[in-house]
Amino acid sequence: MSKIGIFYSFRSTKTAKAAEKIIEAFGNDYQIDKIDADTVNEEQFLSYNKLILGVPTWFDGELPNYWDEFVPALEDLDLTGKKVAVWGMGDQVGYPENFGDAAGIMCELLSSRGAIIIGATSTDGYVFESSKALVGNKFCGLILDQENQARLSSHRIEQWVNDLKKNFK
Ligand SMILES: Cc1cc2nc3c(=O)[nH]c(=O)nc-3n(C[C@H](O)[C@H](O)[C@H](O)COP(=O)(O)O)c2cc1C
């Protein structure tokens, strides 16, 4: 089993908590390296073939600053064949028109660079108006809503990680 890189901002409290739960759900059979999205570089990104990215939505439908700063580098990378899973953090009550948009922006960018996006999830149980994270009738990754549905997150993470385990094979 090759190593997995999980990329998220270590300063982003809710995202970082979710990252710990995701790592825990994988269990001890997996080697998962944590990489800080605040300082990530191209070399680190390219050294993994299996990646998990934490992408909360900020600024009414935008990527957080730290991911935004890495976008120009990402736009030049060849990610052909890399398997990438994205989880987003969002607030479907506060931002129903932009729910989890940043996760969708990231999925689209990665897939335009040749990455295989894994870990799409059902929208069942969420109520929102629009989201860039939608691909067809599913989210391109996992969207967690700690503002309104915190008690659902653990179960959502467990189901998602079970799916990733199969897809990362
Ligand atoms: C100023 C601000 C803007 C936000 N904009 C959005 C948004 O457009 N869409 C969304 O789904 N969530 C939005 N959120 C909610 C955050 O994504 C959510 O609180 C998330 O858990 C933040 O994670 P973090 O603290 O790890 O960055 C916003 C939150 C703030 C404070």
Side-chain angles (χ1 to χ4, degrees):
M1 172 62 62
S2 61
K3 60 183 182 168
I4 298 171
I6 184 164
F7 298 72
Y8 61 96
S9 168
F10 292 6
R11 285 185 305 153
S12 215
T13 322
K14 287 177 187 156
T15 307
K17 270 195 185 153
E20 292 301 334
K21 284 194 173 169
I22 289 167
I23 293 166
E24 198 184 311
F26 269 97
N28 294 332
D29 292 343
Y30 291 78
Q31 185 200 329
I32 306 186
D33 300 337
K34 300 184 210 171
I35 296 101
D36 192 351
D38 285 284
T39 55
V40 63
N41 60 41
E42 292 94 319
E43 200 184 327
Q44 286 172 312
F45 207 83
L46 289 175
S47 67
Y48 295 89
N49 289 321
K50 300 169 182 177
L51 301 88
I52 305 173
L53 271 59
V55 186
T57 301
W58 286 14
F59 310 126
D60 297 357
E62 303 288 339
L63 290 169
N65 298 343
Y66 51 88
W67 275 128
D68 214 26
E69 282 161 20
F70 192 53
V71 164
L74 270 180
E75 284 174 338
D76 281 340
L77 294 184
D78 179 4
L79 303 177
T80 307
K82 291 188 184 292
K83 289 187 176 175
V84 188
V86 173
W87 93 89
M89 312 289 298
D91 171 355
Q92 64 200 288
V93 174
Y95 304 89
E97 292 172 3
N98 303 94
F99 180 50
D101 274 3
I105 293 168
M106 185 59 86
C107 286
E108 201 180 328
L109 172 57
L110 296 166
S111 121
S112 78
R113 302 309 306 146
I116 302 159
I117 307 298
I118 62 166
T121 59
S122 166
T123 60
D124 288 356
Y126 299 84
V127 178
F128 60 96
E129 285 166 36
S130 60
S131 171
K132 286 187 181 152
L134 282 178
V135 176
N137 60 358
K138 285 188 147 190
F139 292 126
C140 66
L142 172 70
I143 311 292
L144 300 173
D145 183 341
Q146 290 303 111
E147 266 74 27
N148 310 292
Q149 297 183 330
R151 71 198 159 78
L152 301 182
S153 293
S154 292
H155 183 60
R156 283 172 172 166
I157 287 171
E158 273 164 37
Q159 283 189 314
W160 191 58
V161 168
N162 283 338
D163 184 42
L164 296 190
K165 283 179 179 175
K166 288 180 210 141
N167 278 298
F168 270 146
K169 271 188 182 150

